[in-house]
């Protein structure tokens, strides 16, 4: 186990920077596509992660915990977002990282450390059992947030994303899916006339639906549609076809996307439009959940933005 600690920079997050952008995509089919640009709220904690974390942090602060602990991989948006959100709320943070330490640290972990997060590296085997990790590292002042922010409070936070838009106008809400926490929250926050579509970033994750439904009010269960065919080979896989799409999407719509989640999300939207999945007059809200810091793992000049 290795622990890092440096002087940290101070973070401020302004969720008012998120805005709705109209796409050119869909005009031909007379389908309106609006994007909620959560990628704009902060260069690093961009997107859904701040929303997923907000009620965990609130609970921890209200119960006078002094430190947040969580889990994740070396490229995890959740890790860097936790570091950032804790810094903003003046909480200490510590993360248990999957796999041995590599040097240099990934950009994601360097970023997390710069916000004052301590890192503890665990072998892939030790990482598997979260209950054991908690048992051997628990402290009275330490509040644990599940991996990826998965849980009821995470979903509640994600539901609050929809408070920022004129919700009733939309027929569909579409978002990328990792742990399923965000889409569960969007389902809970959606209205009766809306269909909620999740684009899975993973290959063949068949337990995803049940994980999502565990966090969802039962009256919403039938409104969820999960699409599993847009993983491009698997989680975080990014063949050149995907990078080309990201470049084209940037030129056409001036929207940057990340290689793990939102590129696959917008590819799916564009593919389903071509396949006439949507009807004339539909109005679609696509959640740009951010995650752009993950693109730093690409060689320089791989993308035009
Ligand atoms: C984490 C993440 C998601 C997936 O959210 P879940 O709640 O884990 O399903 C989607 N997009 C981005 C950019 C993310 O970082």
């Amino acid at each position: 186990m290795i622990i890092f600690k440096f002087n940290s920079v101070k973070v401020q997050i302004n969720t008012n920077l998120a805005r709705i952008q109209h796409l050119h995509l869909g005009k031909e089919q007379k389908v309106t596509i609006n994007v909620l640009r959560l990628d704009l709220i902060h260069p690093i904690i961009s997107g859904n992660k701040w929303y997923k974390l907000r009620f965990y942090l609130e609970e921890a602060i209200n119960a006078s915990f002094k430190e947040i602990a969580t889990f994740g991989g070396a490229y995890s948006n959740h890790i860097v977002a936790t570091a950032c959100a804790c810094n903003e709320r003046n909480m200490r943070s510590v993360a248990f990282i999957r796999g041995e330490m590599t040097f240099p640290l990934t950009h994601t972990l360097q970023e997390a450390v710069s916000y004052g997060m301590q890192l503890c590296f665990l072998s892939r085997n030790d990482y598997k059992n979260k209950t054991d990790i908690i048992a051997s590292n628990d402290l009275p002042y330490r509040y644990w947030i599940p991996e990826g922010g998965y849980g009821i409070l995470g979903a509640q936070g994600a539901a609050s994303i929809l408070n920022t838009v004129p919700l009733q106008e939309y027929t569909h809400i579409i978002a990328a899916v990792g742990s399923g926490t965000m889409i569960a929250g969007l389902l809970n926050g959606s209205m009766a006339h809306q269909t909620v579509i999740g684009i899975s970033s993973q290959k063949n994750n068949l337990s995803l639906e049940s994980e999502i439904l565990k966090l969802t009010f039962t009256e919403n269960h039938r409104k969820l549609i999960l699409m599993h065919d847009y993983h491009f080979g698997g989680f975080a896989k990014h063949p050149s076809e995907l990078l080309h799409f990201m470049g084209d999407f940037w030129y056409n719509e001036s929207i940057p996307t990340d290689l793990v989640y939102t590129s696959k999300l917008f590819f799916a939207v564009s593919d389903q439009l071509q396949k006439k999945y949507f009807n004339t007059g539909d109005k679609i809200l696509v959640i740009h959940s951010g995650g752009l810091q993950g693109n730093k793992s690409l060689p320089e000049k791989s993308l035009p933005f």
Side-chain angles (χ1 to χ4, degrees):
M1 180 195 282
I2 299 174
I3 296 183
F4 280 83
K5 200 164 189 182
F6 292 82
N7 285 337
S8 60
V9 295
K10 187 67 196 141
V11 176
Q12 256 189 329
I13 292 150
N14 183 359
T15 51
N16 293 330
L17 293 175
R19 61 182 172 82
I20 285 180
Q21 180 171 340
H22 241 78
L23 291 197
H24 302 293
L25 188 70
K27 286 218 169 105
E28 211 179 294
Q29 296 90 342
K30 299 199 164 50
V31 172
T32 305
I33 304 182
N34 284 181
V35 177
L36 177 61
R37 298 280 311 269
L38 296 182
D39 58 308
L40 297 173
I41 66 176
H42 188 271
I44 303 299
I45 197 182
S46 69
N48 62 352
K49 295 296 188 281
W50 183 87
Y51 287 92
K52 288 204 293 180
L53 289 166
R54 62 188 294 196
F55 294 130
Y56 288 113
L57 285 174
E58 212 166 283
E59 182 172 271
I61 290 166
N62 289 340
S64 301
F65 285 91
K66 296 281 173 276
E67 186 175 270
I68 299 292
T70 195
F71 316 91
Y75 296 92
S76 161
N77 291 335
H78 167 71
I79 291 297
V80 71
T82 303
C84 211
C86 287
N87 176 308
E88 190 199 20
R89 304 299 300 268
N90 299 314
M91 294 285 276
R92 289 202 305 263
S93 62
V94 52
F96 292 81
I97 305 296
R98 178 180 60 236
E100 306 300 339
M101 190 187 72
T102 56
F103 205 82
L105 293 175
T106 60
H107 286 287
T108 309
L109 294 182
Q110 285 179 38
E111 216 62 79
V113 165
S114 78
Y115 298 130
M117 183 174 249
Q118 296 183 9
L119 306 179
C120 301
F121 293 85
L122 297 172
S123 72
R124 282 172 187 270
N125 205 38
D126 288 344
Y127 183 84
K128 281 185 191 144
N129 195 331
K130 305 295 177 300
T131 322
D132 280 356
I133 301 173
I134 294 174
S136 23
N137 296 282
D138 205 15
L139 292 166
Y141 55 80
R142 201 172 251 183
Y143 179 94
W144 294 86
I145 296 181
E147 189 175 28
Y150 177 85
I152 299 282
L153 287 178
Q156 232 173 58
S160 72
I161 289 171
L162 296 176
N163 298 343
T164 65
V165 301
L167 185 59
Q168 67 289 346
E169 291 175 12
Y170 297 102
T171 54
H172 299 74
I173 299 165
I174 309 185
V177 177
S179 69
T181 314
M182 169 168 62
I183 205 81
L186 297 174
L187 256 178
N188 289 339
S190 68
M191 300 174 81
H193 66 280
Q194 292 164 338
T195 302
V196 177
I197 302 175
I199 308 301
S200 177
S201 54
Q202 299 167 64
K203 189 172 174 173
N204 301 332
N205 184 353
L206 301 177
S207 61
L208 196 53
E209 182 147 7
S210 68
E211 294 297 315
I212 294 169
L213 296 185
K214 274 186 218 163
L215 304 180
T216 311
F217 308 141
T218 43
E219 68 266 25
N220 288 326
H221 282 192
R222 65 197 154 66
K223 301 194 333 183
L224 174 66
I225 293 174
L226 276 182
M227 295 187 178
H228 292 280
D229 294 331
Y230 295 104
H231 54 74
F232 282 81
F235 188 72
K237 293 280 191 303
H238 48 277
S240 58
E241 186 197 359
L242 185 68
L243 298 183
H244 282 141
F245 173 80
M246 291 165 79
D248 288 346
F249 194 70
W250 166 254
Y251 285 122
N252 294 333
E253 309 282 1
S254 307
I255 296 181
T257 51
D258 79 296
L259 61 88
V260 181
Y261 295 105
T262 53
S263 55
K264 298 175 185 182
L265 166 70
F266 285 107
F267 184 94
V269 171
S270 136
D271 190 50
Q272 290 297 328
L273 260 172
Q274 263 165 28
K275 292 179 172 155
K276 309 248 183 301
Y277 177 84
F278 302 108
N279 295 315
T280 301
D282 280 353
K283 187 161 181 182
I284 296 165
L285 179 68
V286 187
I287 310 295
H288 191 318
S289 41
L292 299 173
Q293 67 88 22
N295 290 346
K296 289 185 186 167
S297 67
L298 289 171
E300 245 174 87
K301 302 214 167 75
S302 303
L303 295 168
F305 51 85

